[in-house]
Each structure stands twice: as structure tokens, then as C-alpha cells.
Amino acid sequence: MSDSDPLDSFDEIIATETDRDPDLAVIEAGSRTLRTQGGQPQAGVPTRPQDPEVDKALREVEAELATRWGETKLEPSVTRIAALMDVLGEPQRSYPSIHITGTNGKTSTARMVEALLGAFELRTGRYTSPHVQSITERISLDGAPVAAERFIETYRDIKPYVEMVDAQQEFRLSFFEVLTGMAYAAFADAPVDVAVVEVGMGGSWDATNVIDGDVAVVTPIDLDHTDRLGETPAAIAGEKSGIIKQDATVILAQQPVEAAQVMLKKAVEVDATVAREGLEFGVVSRQVAVGGQLVTLRGLGGEYPEVYLPLHGPYQAHNAAVALAAVEAFFGVGARRPDPLDIDHVRKAFASVASPGRVEVVRRSPTVVLDAAHNPAGARATAEAIGEAFDFSRLIGVVGASGDKNVRGLLEAFEPIFAEVVVTQNSSHRAMDADELAAIAVEVFGEERVQVEPRLPDALEAAITLAEEEGEFAGGGVLVTGSVITVGEARLLLGKG
């Protein structure tokens, strides 16, 4: 890190964006100040458009979307999105879909499902949230985010219909509902052979739940968004079970017993077929490999040995097992056809998977890792992955969290692996104040292990300095975590390499 003018102007550019959502403003600011400093973007993380006219048009779309309810303000129903689908001609009915819910691991699992389907020459559409850096990441075709031009065109195409629905409803369509409508319309226009759709929150009343997923995937359920979904795994499972449709196949990751019971009851009610991790499918073995891990998976059709997965941590191996079972179910393996999927296609697909912002190395000497863990369960999984994949002699944490999360639980999960922690805050209006976060961190880590740097560039600089104290070859590292927004901003600041 340096004290160069681009970094100094980072906050100034954000501050001038007074009429825009802070989450969108920081994306533009980062790309404008740091575009020349970073290396090539990793797969699935587009930069700002290089054409000034396209960039201007995309900013206009972002600004219009930012005037709508954000993703944390909800009126729990599918009334508005259903009305939009109706006036658009029900585009979501024009292709089969795999619908993914759960608390953690949804996006990584969706990316794996997408890669597997693509390996079998199916045209895919993937809808995930939130984005790490660019809003266009949320809608992918054929394994890549849609081009900015296509994103703009899709928005303009459905805008008159959005305004029509707005005029008829008590509340305007939200930011997430409009993006969902855009995704479904883009998939129909492509057209795709199959859509891979991640819920935004919950399941039953989530905007994505106007599709009838042939396969419903439930990644591990834990406590998150408890104000919206319930305060127990069973209550949260009740909301998430809403994506299980009549006669569907349910791929159920390992769950708390009470959550599994709720899911199984719902499956019985709608005559859905259930495949459970640890029984019908699962991880047979795994070993750490350079840049990831080598796994043997048991699917619905048999074993798939020696599959290289370029992602770290036991939880990613379990995500891979879930993704494989979902794609097998989509193809009818274990039901209509007895044979497993072609092993070479499976190996090729998993070897190509990337999951930006999930135990992602963006710098060496010292090593800087980004991970978007934002709840205690995610943080525990990340801590385990870091301990297994890296041999850090001294790990410094940079944590910037949202105020509506279980921040104490997050910090407690990281306490055993952080020698020291630098608390900070991202530019989002949802960010917890750095001093407030520091007060909790002191209770968890002790005052001598906590440093406060409200500006993220300063926090990164401080953490890197602390990691280097033992010398260049001593094995110090930095983990930036706590929020997708924090990770996205850090990624822009640090670039790659």
C-alpha cells in the first residue's frame, strides 16, 4: 500500500456521490481510482465498462435502481414480482431451474452447479446475490456475467413494465425484485437451457420464488437474518422450505436435526423426492492439494474419484457434493437413469470453478486473503479453511461488519486464529461504526490485540505492516472479512498480485 493520490481520493469520490446508494458509489469510486493499479480481474468479477458512454449508461441504471428499497427493506410477499412476471409473459416458465436456498454456501454451490451444467453443453443462466464488486455479476449467461451493454438493454426493456406494476401496487418494486425480473427476462431472451437461481433471503416470500424449481437445493441452515426468518433453525427452515415445489427433487445438505425435520415434512406434503448428504450422497474423502483440494465424492449414481477442486476448506468439499447431487438429480441420475455422470466432464467442471471473495488470495508477501464471512457459522467455516490451507505464523484480521449482524459471534469465531485484529468500516450505510465494533472486539480479544482504523485503506496498511513485523519470510498473513461490501472494497484497493 502507498500514500498515492488515487487512494487519498477514494473517500472524496464516495463523499461526492450524495445522491446514490453508498454500496453503488464505492464500486464506481474504486474502479475510477484504482483501475490502473490492479492486475487482471479474476473470473466472474467484471470491471467498469471501458467505453465512457456505456459506463455512463450503466451508472444511470445503477442510480435508478438505488432509488428503490434496498435488499434489507422488505415487504414479505411475492405479489409484486408475480405481477411483473405476469405482464412480462411469465418468462421464468420458459426454462427448467435449479433453486438454491440455505444460510451459507449458496453462491459457491450455484457456481459449481453452473460449471457442471456447462460441462455437459447446456446453456446456463445464473442469478446470485449480493455482488462482490459489480452489479452485473448477479446475472450470468454461459458462466460469465452479462456484459454491461446487455445489462443496460435488459433494464431498459423491462422498465416500462416495472413502472406499470409500480403504479398498480401499494409499494414499488424493490431493488432486488427488479433485478430478479431482469434475470428471468434475460434468461428467457438468451434463451437458456436451465437457470441456476439463488434466493435472496428465506424462500417462501423471496422474490425468486416465482419459479418452480425442478431441483430444490438447501445448503446448511444456521442463524442469520433472525429478525426476518425466525430465531431457531426450525423456524428458518420453515421459511426456506417454501422453495420446495410439487414433485420436485430436494438436495439436502447436512442440517441441524430440527431443520432437517421441517424440510422432510414439507417434502412429504408436496410429494417431493429427497436426497440427503451423508446418506444418499456425500464426501467420501478429501486431502489438501496445491491451490485447493482433491476430493472423492459419492453421488446419486456412484463414486467420482480424484476430483480437483481449486477452493479451500472442508465446507467447499461439502458444497461440491451438494452441487454434484443437484446436477445428477436434474439429469435424472438415480431415478430415470442408473449410470453416473461422465467423470471427465465432472472433473473438468470442478477444476474450472472460481468463487471470488471466498478464501481468495489477492496478494503475496505478505499473503492477503479475502473472505466474505458475515455470520458466526460462516466465520467458523472460514477459520477452519484458513487453518487447513495456510501455514501462517501470524495472522492479522481486518474486520468490517454490518450493524445488523451477530458481530460478537463473528469475532469469537475468528479469535483463535487472529494474533491481532484491525477493526474498520466499509462505506455502506449498513456498516457498523468502527468504534462500536472496536468495543466488542476488545471484549473478545483484549485491548492489546485490537487496533482501530475507520478508513479501510488505513486498516489494510496497518494490517500488512503488522503481518510484516516478523520479516518477509516469517509467514505472516492478513485476512479481510466481515462483509461482502468490505471484501469488495478491499479487492478494489488491493487488486490482484
Side-chain angles (χ1 to χ4, degrees):
M1 298 293 292
S2 68
D3 296 327
S4 60
D5 290 340
L7 291 186
D8 291 339
S9 66
F10 189 75
D11 289 341
E12 295 174 14
I13 294 174
I14 295 171
T16 63
E17 299 286 346
T18 55
D19 296 328
R20 301 183 60 215
D21 185 289
D23 295 357
L24 301 179
V26 71
I27 292 168
E28 179 186 348
S31 61
R32 283 161 60 184
T33 59
L34 298 165
R35 183 180 299 144
T36 60
Q37 296 185 13
Q40 291 296 314
Q42 292 216 343
V45 184
T47 60
R48 294 298 305 189
Q50 296 299 305
D51 186 321
E53 291 302 315
V54 176
D55 191 43
K56 178 183 177 183
L58 181 59
R59 280 196 232 114
E60 290 171 354
V61 171
E62 290 173 332
E64 289 184 24
L65 288 170
T67 65
R68 297 180 176 275
W69 280 359
E71 291 170 280
T72 58
K73 187 173 184 180
L74 303 167
E75 193 279 316
S77 76
V78 294
T79 302
R80 292 173 302 283
I81 187 66
L84 179 61
M85 293 296 100
D86 182 54
V87 297
L88 288 175
E90 304 290 346
Q92 82 284 12
R93 308 285 184 207
S94 64
Y95 40 79
S97 56
I98 296 175
H99 205 178
I100 303 173
T101 190
T103 301
N104 292 308
K106 297 187 295 295
T107 298
S108 293
T109 301
R111 285 176 169 273
M112 294 177 193
V113 169
E114 173 189 54
L116 284 163
L117 292 169
F120 288 92
E121 299 185 354
L122 292 184
R123 187 163 203 204
T124 58
R126 172 173 54 83
Y127 180 53
T128 53
S129 60
H131 55 272
V132 177
Q133 287 178 201
S134 171
I135 194 171
T136 60
E137 293 169 37
R138 296 181 180 229
I139 304 173
S140 290
L141 292 172
D142 296 322
V146 294
E149 293 88 344
R150 188 161 195 164
F151 187 91
I152 296 162
E153 180 184 5
T154 303
Y155 175 77
R156 289 174 175 170
D157 284 347
I158 76 165
K159 182 179 177 180
Y161 301 96
V162 169
E163 292 174 343
M164 187 187 306
V165 173
D166 284 343
Q168 297 170 348
Q169 300 293 322
E170 181 181 0
F171 304 108
R172 296 169 71 213
L173 287 153
S174 70
F175 170 87
F176 187 72
E177 287 168 334
V178 174
L179 281 173
T180 302
M182 289 173 60
Y184 289 164
F187 297 163
D189 185 59
V192 302
D193 296 315
V194 55
V196 182
V197 178
E198 173 190 339
V199 303
M201 184 186 299
S204 60
W205 43 256
D206 186 73
T208 64
N209 202 31
V210 289
I211 58 172
D212 293 322
D214 301 76
V215 179
V217 177
V218 187
T219 66
I221 290 173
D222 212 294
L223 300 182
D224 198 11
H225 301 294
T226 53
D227 57 329
R228 295 284 184 178
L229 304 179
E231 297 183 353
T232 66
I236 293 172
E239 288 294 338
K240 294 183 183 294
S241 69
I243 74 163
I244 301 174
K245 305 298 172 57
Q246 189 73 33
D247 300 321
T249 300
V250 184
I251 305 301
L252 199 60
Q254 291 180 341
Q255 305 289 348
V257 173
E258 57 182 306
Q261 290 173 338
V262 171
M263 290 290 173
L264 293 171
K265 180 180 178 182
K266 177 60 183 280
V268 169
E269 292 172 357
V270 297
D271 293 322
T273 302
V274 179
R276 299 153 295 178
E277 185 182 7
L279 294 172
E280 285 78 24
F281 69 93
V283 179
V284 176
S285 64
R286 54 180 296 275
Q287 61 187 76
V288 177
V290 176
Q293 53 194 304
L294 193 66
V295 299
T296 293
L297 305 175
R298 186 177 76 252
L300 306 179
E303 283 198 3
Y304 298 80
E306 297 184 345
V307 175
Y308 176 66
L309 182 66
L311 301 173
H312 299 291
Y315 72 100
Q316 292 289 19
H318 290 285
N319 287 341
V322 169
L324 177 62
V327 173
E328 284 183 310
F330 181 80
F331 284 124
V333 174
R336 299 186 303 275
R337 51 181 283 189
D339 297 329
L341 300 178
D342 181 80
I343 184 62
D344 291 333
H345 286 70
V346 170
R347 286 172 175 158
K348 179 180 178 181
F350 278 120
S352 72
V353 171
S355 195
R358 277 74 179 178
V359 192
E360 178 188 16
V361 176
V362 293
R363 171 177 168 159
R364 299 286 186 182
S365 297
T367 298
V368 178
V369 183
L370 306 181
D371 190 87
H374 55 273
N375 56 47
R380 288 191 293 270
T382 297
E384 183 180 14
I386 293 292
E388 177 184 85
F390 302 92
D391 188 23
F392 292 126
S393 60
R394 175 182 173 84
L395 181 62
I396 310 300
V398 174
V399 179
S402 296
D404 57 349
K405 298 297 182 180
N406 180 358
V407 174
R408 180 180 295 276
L410 179 98
L411 292 172
E412 287 174 345
F414 283 124
E415 190 277 332
I417 68 168
F418 286 165
E420 297 182 54
V421 61
V422 181
V423 297
T424 188
Q425 64 190 74
N426 58 56
S427 65
S428 169
H429 58 285
R430 296 170 55 199
M432 175 175 281
D433 178 79
D435 289 333
E436 183 181 353
L437 178 57
I440 301 173
V442 166
E443 294 177 2
V444 174
F445 289 85
E447 187 172 359
E448 69 283 355
R449 294 169 64 194
V450 178
Q451 184 171 331
V452 185
E453 294 289 352
R455 294 181 69 251
L456 182 58
D458 295 337
L460 293 171
E461 181 76 50
I464 289 170
T465 299
L466 288 169
E468 290 175 334
E469 282 185 353
E470 294 184 359
E472 183 179 357
F473 303 105
V478 175
L479 173 63
V480 184
T481 189
S483 163
V484 174
I485 299 296
T486 301
V487 164
E489 292 182 17
R491 206 173 190 280
L492 285 167
L493 286 165
L494 292 167
K496 182 176 181 291

